[in-house]
Structure formats: structure tokens, C-alpha cells
Amino acid sequence: MESRSEVAGKRKDGSEFPAGASVSKQNIAGHPMYTVIMREMTLQRAAEKALINEKEEQAALIKQLQEAQAQLLQSEKMASIGQLAAGVAHEINNPVGYITSNIGALRNYLNDLFKMLQLYEQCEQMISDDASADEIIRLKKELDLD
């Protein structure tokens, strides 16, 4: 049978240190014999503290990494939205540019048509055929030419 426990050991100078004690019982020639082994645990405690500190540092680094990953993901989302907006603007700008570039030509064509209409209106008074004049008046009303 063996039992283990932690105890405080004392050095010759009176300072204490953590120690591990294990006691084992043996029967030798019918007499119980106890063996006590004491080990200084200072280095083991220091190693445990270092391990705990390292674990805490790793947890902090993992948290920083997760935050950086979240920021990167947000940045990628914003970049995608920017590209989408640029694409939409381009698709809107193409027809608008086409219309804008052709407005000048349309203005020239309309000016020509208005000149032609003025000339037709001047000539309209010279038409002697009543049926043709009535047809012109009817069509002007239908098209709301005024």
C-alpha cells in the first residue's frame, strides 16, 4: 500500500519548500516496514506555473488571431461590396453615357424636324383640297402636335 501527499519541507536554513512525500508499507519477516520518500517540488511547481502562463498567453494569442480574422473578413466583405457598387455604377453609366453622347445628335435631328414642321404649317394654308385639309387637322389633333 502506498500513499502520496504534498507537504512543506524545511531546509537547514529554516526556509520552506514544496515537497512531495510518498509512504509505502512493506512486511519484511512479519514486521511492518515503512519507506518514506521525499522529493523537492520547487522545479515542478515552477514548470507548472510556466505551463499555466504559456497556456494563458496562447489563449490571448488565439483571441487576437480570432479578432484579426474577423477584421479581415469584414475587410473582404467591404471590398466585395465596393466591387459590386463599382459594377453597378458601370452598368448604369454605360447607358447614361450612350444617351448623353447622343443627345447632341438628337437635338440636331429635332431642330431639323421642327424646321420641316414650320414649313409644312406655312404650306398648310395653301392646300385647296378640303379633304386633305380636314385630314391634316384631324391628324394634328390626334398627335397633339401643338
Side-chain angles (χ1 to χ4, degrees):
M1 172 173 109
E2 187 175 318
S3 106
R4 295 177 185 220
S5 63
E6 290 189 25
V7 295
K10 257 191 183 177
R11 294 187 180 93
K12 289 181 183 180
D13 64 2
S15 63
E16 290 188 356
F17 62 91
S22 61
V23 179
S24 62
K25 179 184 176 184
Q26 298 175 352
N27 284 323
I28 299 178
H31 299 288
M33 299 286 283
Y34 294 94
T35 306
V36 178
I37 300 174
M38 298 230 359
R39 289 183 307 160
E40 184 175 348
M41 305 289 283
T42 305
L43 293 177
Q44 185 176 348
R45 293 292 172 256
E48 287 173 358
K49 283 183 182 179
L51 191 59
I52 289 169
N53 288 341
E54 186 177 337
K55 185 178 179 182
E56 289 172 353
E57 288 174 6
Q58 286 177 351
L61 288 173
I62 288 171
K63 185 177 178 181
Q64 287 178 346
L65 183 61
Q66 288 171 338
E67 290 172 359
Q69 184 180 16
Q71 288 176 349
L72 180 61
L73 183 61
Q74 184 68 19
S75 176
E76 288 176 354
K77 286 179 184 178
M78 294 304 288
S80 295
I81 289 171
Q83 287 179 342
L84 179 63
V88 169
H90 178 74
E91 291 302 319
I92 290 172
N93 195 30
N94 277 349
V96 170
Y98 176 78
I99 291 169
T100 303
S101 68
N102 288 307
I103 283 181
L106 179 63
R107 184 176 294 124
N108 292 337
Y109 294 148
L110 287 176
N111 286 337
D112 291 346
L113 281 173
F114 289 141
K115 286 178 188 175
M116 192 67 152
L117 274 174
Q118 285 176 351
L119 182 60
Y120 278 137
E121 284 179 348
Q122 290 171 3
C123 293
E124 182 181 328
Q125 297 165 1
M126 296 179 210
I127 297 176
S128 58
D129 182 16
D130 288 337
S132 297
D134 290 341
E135 180 66 21
I136 290 173
I137 292 170
R138 185 197 64 76
L139 186 58
K140 280 173 94 174
K141 286 181 182 178
E142 183 182 316
L143 296 177
D144 194 21
L145 199 58
D146 291 335

